Amino acid sequence: MNNKLYGTLIFELSREGRCGYSLPRNEYSHSTVELPKTLRREKVAELPECDELTVVRHYTNHSNNNFGVNNGFYPLGSCTMKYNPVINEEVAARPEFANLHPQQPRETCEGAYRLHSEVRSMLSALTGMSDFTLSPCAGAHGELTGLMIIRSYHESRGDLKRTRVIIPDSAHGTNPASAAVCGLEVVEVKSTADGMVDVEHLKTLLDDTIAGMMMTNPNTLGLFERNIPEIARLVHECGGLMYYDGANLNPMLGVCRPGDMGFDVMHINLHKTFSTPHGGGGPGSGPVGVRKGLEEFLSKVTVGPYLGNYGVVVRAWAYLKTLGRENVRMVGPLATLNANYVKERLKDLYELPIDRICMHEFVFDGLKDKSTGVTTMDIAKRLLDYGYHAPTIYFPLLFHESMMIEPTENESRETLDAFIDVMRTIAQEAKDNPELVKTAPHTTPIGRVDDVEAAKHPVVKYE
Ligand SMILES: *Cc1c(COP(=O)(O)O)cnc(C)c1O
């Protein structure tokens, strides 16, 4: 790859007076309108001046440096980087949907409302909840919304002392962050050695200041929480509500429902489970559902005439309609099968701290052979040389060398075998030539960056 090309900014390609596009001269009207002085800029805007082909090449070359699900295997644990079928894009791009205006009168877009309400019903059917709002725009946004629902539920009963929320130590970082933003105090419950919520520890935390408990299932270790019915009973008995972080809904799709397990409020990551491309922070949608009896709190958070991040809602609709009721049941089992296949074929070389059947993802604690000095970071970097996206690394925080692998249901046996071969090759390289792995990547436009230097002295503007 051309290193120079990679680093070039569009401003460096600018040549004074060069122009890519110009409007035809106005031959009909010679009147000009003067902008008020207060609205005029004092200096000329420093915009790049380039011809169209230069602009096209510039951005095409940048986009080729990107890596997505459409380029190759993307086992980024916790993120569910599943294939996003092209038909979803076609449906979402229809002008009737793509050109909707938030203030459009309802009678001009009944179809859009109907689709919106169909997605709410399908999500309710899949999760066992009573109804959903599609307003929140991400998982974290859904968490905050759900916690606000829990808070207003307690407030509506005059129960104002419930200001604390229980969150497992294995939780995704957004859980405690959302609780804090919602003004709730976080109480951490420990995990047992086999990766489950520690029920005995939980019992010691429960009292009448507890607003509720947030749980992810399967949890961030990819393990199905075994004690949910008991946990839900304990939390309910003390007057709290159960919140389900549904970002890991994928392996449960069509197999079991959080609503049947005692959860009261939940969110879903449409961009993960229901296939919207979601690299680089967007777009997303985090619908929030409530069980029967809590619907009144849902309407408070559903924003008036707006339909949420509508393009993502349409993609979820297209995804579910093309799979259909029968095939949607295959998603969870296939995601689970793929993850277990990769885990079983690598666990002789990679440290598997909790050796159980996993769900859609699993966590290694680095290489089994610790004598090589090769870390999870080194392995992640070396994978780039072989054309793979790296797994999620150093999360969850329960192990020192966490490496979280989520293959998703879409990958073929051949793709999984090829990835397994590369992981085994890297383990061998770590023995034979550790320097090769420790200095990776070698084939990317930018080699190993100095993390510490980048954190301490970040250069965030062009100089
Ligand atoms: C991705 C994820 C979230 C947050 O979702 P965003 O859409 O990124 O805000 C929360 N919890 C878990 C378990 C996740 O995997």
Side-chain angles (χ1 to χ4, degrees), residues 1 43 51 82 109-110 112 127-128 142 173 179 198 265 282 291 318 336 338 354 380 399 445 449:
M1 188 134 354
K43 282 197 309 188
D51 57 283
K82 63 163 76 175
C109 49
E110 276 301 337
T127 58
D198 185 337
V265 184
R291 66 149 162 83
T336 301
N338 278 356
I354 301 171
F399 314 116
V449 289

mmCIF file of all heavy atoms in Angstrom, residues 1 43 51 82 109-110 112 127-128 142 173 179 198 265 282 291 318 336 338 354 380 399 445 449:
data_model
loop_
_atom_site.group_PDB
_atom_site.id
_atom_site.type_symbol
_atom_site.label_atom_id
_atom_site.label_comp_id
_atom_site.label_asym_id
_atom_site.label_seq_id
_atom_site.Cartn_x
_atom_site.Cartn_y
_atom_site.Cartn_z
ATOM 1 N N MET A 1 0.845 -1.205 0.000
ATOM 2 C CA MET A 1 0.000 0.000 0.000
ATOM 3 C C MET A 1 0.880 1.256 0.000
ATOM 4 O O MET A 1 1.960 1.264 0.576
ATOM 5 C CB MET A 1 -0.896 -0.014 1.224
ATOM 6 C CG MET A 1 -1.898 1.089 1.180
ATOM 7 S SD MET A 1 -3.577 0.683 1.577
ATOM 8 C CE MET A 1 -3.656 -1.065 1.765
ATOM 9 N N LYS A 43 -13.361 36.233 7.268
ATOM 10 C CA LYS A 43 -12.246 35.696 6.481
ATOM 11 C C LYS A 43 -12.813 34.741 5.445
ATOM 12 O O LYS A 43 -13.869 34.150 5.648
ATOM 13 C CB LYS A 43 -11.296 34.911 7.385
ATOM 14 C CG LYS A 43 -10.368 35.761 8.213
ATOM 15 C CD LYS A 43 -9.199 34.946 8.764
ATOM 16 C CE LYS A 43 -9.678 33.681 9.464
ATOM 17 N NZ LYS A 43 -8.650 32.939 10.165
ATOM 18 N N ASP A 51 -10.340 19.223 -8.220
ATOM 19 C CA ASP A 51 -11.209 18.743 -9.295
ATOM 20 C C ASP A 51 -11.915 17.467 -8.839
ATOM 21 O O ASP A 51 -11.480 16.802 -7.893
ATOM 22 C CB ASP A 51 -10.386 18.484 -10.558
ATOM 23 C CG ASP A 51 -9.271 17.498 -10.291
ATOM 24 O OD1 ASP A 51 -8.257 17.901 -9.698
ATOM 25 O OD2 ASP A 51 -9.456 16.305 -10.617
ATOM 26 N N LYS A 82 -22.390 -9.218 12.349
ATOM 27 C CA LYS A 82 -22.954 -10.177 11.411
ATOM 28 C C LYS A 82 -23.118 -9.527 10.049
ATOM 29 O O LYS A 82 -23.018 -8.305 9.911
ATOM 30 C CB LYS A 82 -24.274 -10.730 11.920
ATOM 31 C CG LYS A 82 -25.381 -9.707 12.083
ATOM 32 C CD LYS A 82 -26.741 -10.370 12.182
ATOM 33 C CE LYS A 82 -27.027 -11.002 13.527
ATOM 34 N NZ LYS A 82 -28.392 -11.520 13.631
ATOM 35 N N CYS A 109 -47.808 9.634 5.620
ATOM 36 C CA CYS A 109 -46.810 8.562 5.763
ATOM 37 C C CYS A 109 -47.347 7.416 6.622
ATOM 38 O O CYS A 109 -46.639 6.925 7.501
ATOM 39 C CB CYS A 109 -45.488 9.104 6.302
ATOM 40 S SG CYS A 109 -45.636 10.144 7.756
ATOM 41 N N GLU A 110 -48.559 7.026 6.354
ATOM 42 C CA GLU A 110 -49.174 5.927 7.117
ATOM 43 C C GLU A 110 -48.345 4.645 7.015
ATOM 44 O O GLU A 110 -48.231 3.889 7.968
ATOM 45 C CB GLU A 110 -50.599 5.662 6.626
ATOM 46 C CG GLU A 110 -51.652 6.575 7.244
ATOM 47 C CD GLU A 110 -51.710 6.477 8.762
ATOM 48 O OE1 GLU A 110 -51.289 5.454 9.325
ATOM 49 O OE2 GLU A 110 -52.161 7.451 9.388
ATOM 50 N N ALA A 112 -45.154 4.288 6.723
ATOM 51 C CA ALA A 112 -43.982 4.338 7.599
ATOM 52 C C ALA A 112 -44.385 4.031 9.040
ATOM 53 O O ALA A 112 -43.675 3.318 9.759
ATOM 54 C CB ALA A 112 -43.329 5.712 7.502
ATOM 55 N N THR A 127 -39.310 -11.162 22.330
ATOM 56 C CA THR A 127 -38.717 -10.969 23.663
ATOM 57 C C THR A 127 -39.680 -11.239 24.808
ATOM 58 O O THR A 127 -39.258 -11.314 25.959
ATOM 59 C CB THR A 127 -38.235 -9.508 23.819
ATOM 60 O OG1 THR A 127 -39.356 -8.644 23.605
ATOM 61 C CG2 THR A 127 -37.130 -9.171 22.837
ATOM 62 N N GLY A 128 -40.984 -11.326 24.501
ATOM 63 C CA GLY A 128 -41.956 -11.532 25.578
ATOM 64 C C GLY A 128 -42.281 -10.253 26.335
ATOM 65 O O GLY A 128 -42.838 -10.301 27.428
ATOM 66 N N GLY A 142 -30.604 3.328 25.076
ATOM 67 C CA GLY A 142 -31.683 2.469 25.566
ATOM 68 C C GLY A 142 -31.536 2.192 27.057
ATOM 69 O O GLY A 142 -32.515 2.234 27.815
ATOM 70 N N GLY A 173 -19.230 -1.655 29.942
ATOM 71 C CA GLY A 173 -18.985 -0.370 30.584
ATOM 72 C C GLY A 173 -20.136 0.614 30.495
ATOM 73 O O GLY A 173 -20.270 1.513 31.328
ATOM 74 N N ALA A 179 -26.156 4.230 34.379
ATOM 75 C CA ALA A 179 -26.718 4.384 35.721
ATOM 76 C C ALA A 179 -26.262 5.715 36.326
ATOM 77 O O ALA A 179 -27.058 6.453 36.907
ATOM 78 C CB ALA A 179 -26.303 3.210 36.603
ATOM 79 N N ASP A 198 -22.785 -13.896 41.331
ATOM 80 C CA ASP A 198 -22.669 -14.553 42.638
ATOM 81 C C ASP A 198 -23.938 -14.260 43.462
ATOM 82 O O ASP A 198 -24.091 -13.166 44.024
ATOM 83 C CB ASP A 198 -21.410 -14.017 43.340
ATOM 84 C CG ASP A 198 -21.140 -14.735 44.654
ATOM 85 O OD1 ASP A 198 -22.091 -15.300 45.242
ATOM 86 O OD2 ASP A 198 -19.967 -14.723 45.075
ATOM 87 N N VAL A 265 -37.827 -4.618 32.188
ATOM 88 C CA VAL A 265 -37.489 -3.576 31.216
ATOM 89 C C VAL A 265 -36.240 -4.045 30.474
ATOM 90 O O VAL A 265 -35.368 -4.687 31.076
ATOM 91 C CB VAL A 265 -37.182 -2.228 31.934
ATOM 92 C CG1 VAL A 265 -36.936 -1.112 30.931
ATOM 93 C CG2 VAL A 265 -38.309 -1.832 32.887
ATOM 94 N N GLY A 282 -21.817 4.172 14.456
ATOM 95 C CA GLY A 282 -23.193 4.413 14.062
ATOM 96 C C GLY A 282 -23.530 3.821 12.721
ATOM 97 O O GLY A 282 -22.653 3.276 12.076
ATOM 98 N N ARG A 291 -42.456 -4.927 30.295
ATOM 99 C CA ARG A 291 -43.425 -6.008 30.473
ATOM 100 C C ARG A 291 -44.817 -5.415 30.722
ATOM 101 O O ARG A 291 -44.964 -4.209 30.977
ATOM 102 C CB ARG A 291 -43.019 -6.894 31.631
ATOM 103 C CG ARG A 291 -43.068 -6.199 32.965
ATOM 104 C CD ARG A 291 -43.409 -7.152 34.102
ATOM 105 N NE ARG A 291 -43.035 -6.581 35.372
ATOM 106 C CZ ARG A 291 -43.790 -5.712 36.051
ATOM 107 N NH1 ARG A 291 -44.937 -5.273 35.564
ATOM 108 N NH2 ARG A 291 -43.370 -5.254 37.227
ATOM 109 N N ALA A 318 -36.836 -5.351 7.423
ATOM 110 C CA ALA A 318 -36.493 -6.126 6.229
ATOM 111 C C ALA A 318 -35.791 -7.430 6.622
ATOM 112 O O ALA A 318 -36.056 -8.498 6.057
ATOM 113 C CB ALA A 318 -35.604 -5.300 5.300
ATOM 114 N N THR A 336 -24.374 -19.938 18.132
ATOM 115 C CA THR A 336 -23.832 -20.703 19.255
ATOM 116 C C THR A 336 -22.941 -21.841 18.763
ATOM 117 O O THR A 336 -21.847 -22.069 19.294
ATOM 118 C CB THR A 336 -25.012 -21.238 20.101
ATOM 119 O OG1 THR A 336 -25.785 -20.115 20.546
ATOM 120 C CG2 THR A 336 -24.531 -22.034 21.294
ATOM 121 N N ASN A 338 -21.290 -22.019 15.903
ATOM 122 C CA ASN A 338 -20.053 -21.481 15.337
ATOM 123 C C ASN A 338 -19.060 -21.094 16.435
ATOM 124 O O ASN A 338 -17.863 -21.360 16.324
ATOM 125 C CB ASN A 338 -20.364 -20.270 14.450
ATOM 126 C CG ASN A 338 -20.805 -20.696 13.051
ATOM 127 O OD1 ASN A 338 -20.808 -21.877 12.738
ATOM 128 N ND2 ASN A 338 -21.188 -19.737 12.229
ATOM 129 N N ILE A 354 -12.800 -20.506 31.525
ATOM 130 C CA ILE A 354 -14.026 -21.175 31.949
ATOM 131 C C ILE A 354 -14.450 -22.108 30.826
ATOM 132 O O ILE A 354 -14.931 -21.675 29.777
ATOM 133 C CB ILE A 354 -15.138 -20.151 32.278
ATOM 134 C CG1 ILE A 354 -14.647 -19.230 33.399
ATOM 135 C CG2 ILE A 354 -16.414 -20.867 32.701
ATOM 136 C CD1 ILE A 354 -15.545 -18.053 33.670
ATOM 137 N N ALA A 380 -3.562 -9.910 18.398
ATOM 138 C CA ALA A 380 -4.552 -9.091 17.678
ATOM 139 C C ALA A 380 -3.889 -8.365 16.506
ATOM 140 O O ALA A 380 -4.427 -8.304 15.401
ATOM 141 C CB ALA A 380 -5.191 -8.090 18.634
ATOM 142 N N PHE A 399 -10.173 -11.035 33.165
ATOM 143 C CA PHE A 399 -8.890 -11.713 32.966
ATOM 144 C C PHE A 399 -7.863 -10.717 32.440
ATOM 145 O O PHE A 399 -8.221 -9.718 31.824
ATOM 146 C CB PHE A 399 -9.041 -12.875 31.967
ATOM 147 C CG PHE A 399 -10.244 -13.732 32.237
ATOM 148 C CD1 PHE A 399 -11.269 -13.809 31.304
ATOM 149 C CD2 PHE A 399 -10.377 -14.430 33.430
ATOM 150 C CE1 PHE A 399 -12.399 -14.577 31.550
ATOM 151 C CE2 PHE A 399 -11.502 -15.194 33.687
ATOM 152 C CZ PHE A 399 -12.519 -15.265 32.744
ATOM 153 N N PRO A 445 -0.781 -0.223 6.339
ATOM 154 C CA PRO A 445 -0.170 1.077 6.005
ATOM 155 C C PRO A 445 0.563 1.688 7.185
ATOM 156 O O PRO A 445 1.583 2.363 7.025
ATOM 157 C CB PRO A 445 -1.376 1.955 5.624
ATOM 158 C CG PRO A 445 -2.463 1.012 5.275
ATOM 159 C CD PRO A 445 -2.232 -0.237 6.059
ATOM 160 N N VAL A 449 1.583 1.078 16.566
ATOM 161 C CA VAL A 449 1.644 2.430 17.135
ATOM 162 C C VAL A 449 2.005 2.344 18.615
ATOM 163 O O VAL A 449 1.769 1.331 19.271
ATOM 164 C CB VAL A 449 0.303 3.192 16.968
ATOM 165 C CG1 VAL A 449 0.072 3.578 15.526
ATOM 166 C CG2 VAL A 449 -0.868 2.379 17.492
#
